[in-house]
Amino acid sequence: MLVTADALAETALTGAPAAVSPPGPTPCLVMDLAVVRARYAELRAALPGARVYYAVKANPRAEVLGALADAGCGFDVASPGEIEGALAAGGRAERLCYANPVRTPADVAAAAGHGVSLFVTDSGEDLEVLADGAPGASVLVRLAVDDTGSATPFGGKFGCSPARAVSLLLQAASSGLDPAGLSFHVGSQQSRPAAWADAIAVAASVAADAGLAVRILDVGGGFPVPYRTPVPPVAEFGAAIEAAVRRHFPGRRAPELAVEPGRLLVAEAGVLHASAVRVSVRDDGRRWVYLDVGRYGGLAETEGEAIGYRLATDHDGPGVELAPAVLAGPTCDGDDVLYREVALPAALRSGDAVRLLAAGAYTASYASVGFNGLPPLAVRCVDSVGPGS
Ligand SMILES: Cc1ncc(COP(=O)(O)O)c(C=O)c1O
């Protein structure tokens, strides 16, 4: 199969960050903080009244957290370590939401000690721990919702049924906690605005059944980014969410909205600069391109080819000849294969640069600490605009 670069040009990343300048040794993830700020501003415009809690797990780099904190963003944290990172970067305790319901009494005590007072929960056991370690704290009960359309769904790990949510809200109230509202997550890289609308309908029915006012409705993260295929703009998701809230929470009962975006704010800010360690045609007749970064160097989301990063090389250009390749990582592990077939320039050679675009989310935070003696993924932050501009 031969395809031309015109096909690639058609889908060229628009608004690519300035962070494509050569970063020195590879692999290296270069993050453009100006893009992070721009995505945050777009989200604020799409959902003007919503609290925004950036999901730190997506990219916990201090400069990223600092840029968002300076812009007034809150943080979705999943452990005491993430709480400390968010606070050190300028986040405020009252703008943190501890959204991981899997935690120990020591984790809850540490969070409360830091002044965190908003927790997401999905079990009676966790509520007991919260009532003990963070008395009086506000809780959001996480619903399990339909995640059809998500590229990386949660597989049933979190959330509870509507009936259980009602009893958890009542349990929270009777154990001295503040049953502030409900939350859900429609699965990451979720392409269907209707996924949020459907989940909001479920949340409204739970609120009615519990007979409690939902003060906060946390509609989670999941907002998609254009990897190899276009996705609707964030404004479309915002409009679907606001319309569903108006429809299902009519009148004065409308809750305050919260969102927990991860991928949306940081993916397109990152370019992962890599190099081809080896390009060779193997006995299977296929061209194998081995990069110096792979599944264990931060590309965990290529498992099952769930996330398809767009690739760029110095050979790209009008009319360049492309040929199929298997793209693999550098380690001695057989699972370290990223894509079974991608189109790359036929002229690509060992040592050439390969860039993975929109790679700022769930890469550095997933990189192993030293598998095969390889160091964790290096990260460099740049600011193509400057915070004041
Ligand atoms: C509780 C919670 N909130 C928010 C997010 C961020 O999701 P996304 O990156 O899809 O926006 C995640 C991701 O795993 C999560 O677990």
Side-chain angles (χ1 to χ4, degrees):
M1 181 192 77
L2 288 180
V3 289
T4 69
D6 298 340
L8 274 189
E10 264 177 39
T11 53
L13 187 70
T14 51
V20 290
S21 56
T26 64
C28 180
L29 175 67
V30 180
M31 294 293 298
D32 188 341
L33 302 177
V35 177
V36 175
R37 287 195 303 273
R39 293 295 173 273
Y40 176 69
E42 282 164 21
L43 177 62
R44 299 280 307 158
L47 282 167
R51 303 181 184 191
V52 182
Y53 297 108
Y54 165 63
V56 171
K57 69 208 84 179
N59 188 320
R61 183 78 185 185
E63 294 94 324
V64 170
L65 303 184
L68 287 168
D70 288 349
C73 189
F75 297 98
D76 155 8
V77 290
S79 68
E82 286 192 352
I83 293 170
E84 285 156 24
L87 294 177
R92 304 212 316 254
E94 65 273 21
R95 288 203 182 150
L96 302 189
C97 175
Y98 196 146
N100 181 5
V102 183
R103 56 198 154 211
T104 65
D107 294 336
V108 169
H114 282 298
V116 177
S117 59
L118 181 62
F119 297 80
V120 173
T121 188
D122 65 359
S123 72
E125 293 77 6
D126 184 52
L127 275 178
E128 285 171 20
V129 173
L130 289 172
D132 212 33
S138 297
V139 294
L140 306 176
V141 174
R142 180 165 170 177
L143 290 160
V145 295
D146 183 5
D147 56 17
T148 308
S150 161
T152 61
F154 289 102
K157 185 173 176 188
F158 302 106
C160 63
S161 67
R164 188 183 292 267
V166 171
S167 71
L168 291 179
L169 285 169
L170 299 176
Q171 179 184 338
S174 65
S175 55
L177 294 162
D178 164 34
L182 294 163
S183 83
F184 58 78
H185 195 302
V186 292
S188 200
Q189 188 65 11
Q190 171 59 261
S191 53
R192 292 187 312 118
W196 279 267
D198 294 347
I200 289 166
V202 176
S205 73
V206 170
D209 289 350
L212 291 170
V214 171
R215 297 199 323 273
I216 302 171
L217 178 61
D218 179 346
V219 300
F223 304 101
V225 302
Y227 287 107
R228 291 187 193 158
T229 49
V231 296
V234 68
E236 206 170 301
F237 292 89
I241 290 166
E242 288 190 336
V245 170
R246 276 195 302 276
R247 176 163 174 220
H248 298 291
F249 290 89
R252 297 170 56 196
R253 286 190 305 134
E256 183 183 1
L257 283 174
V259 283
E260 301 169 0
R263 191 182 300 282
L264 177 77
L265 299 188
V266 291
E268 290 173 279
V271 174
L272 206 172
H273 293 259
S275 303
V277 175
R278 172 71 31 76
V279 180
S280 66
V281 177
R282 293 173 46 80
D283 290 342
D284 60 8
R286 294 191 291 174
R287 181 174 63 139
W288 283 68
V289 174
Y290 300 88
L291 299 181
D292 56 2
V293 66
R295 183 73 56 81
Y296 305 101
L299 299 175
E301 289 201 304
T302 58
E303 187 176 352
E305 305 201 8
I307 297 297
Y309 296 102
R310 195 189 317 273
L311 306 168
T313 77
D314 294 342
H315 298 279
D316 299 346
V320 70
E321 183 187 320
L322 300 179
V326 181
L327 192 66
T331 69
C332 66
D333 190 289
D335 285 334
D336 192 6
V337 176
L338 308 177
Y339 304 116
R340 287 281 157 190
E341 184 170 321
V342 288
L344 283 169
L348 193 75
R349 297 287 177 267
S350 303
D352 285 354
V354 176
R355 292 177 289 280
L356 295 96
L357 307 184
Y362 303 111
T363 45
S365 52
Y366 275 157
S368 94
V369 295
F371 181 51
N372 270 180
L374 299 169
L377 181 59
V379 182
R380 193 158 65 86
C381 292
V382 299
D383 195 331
S384 63
V385 177
S389 327

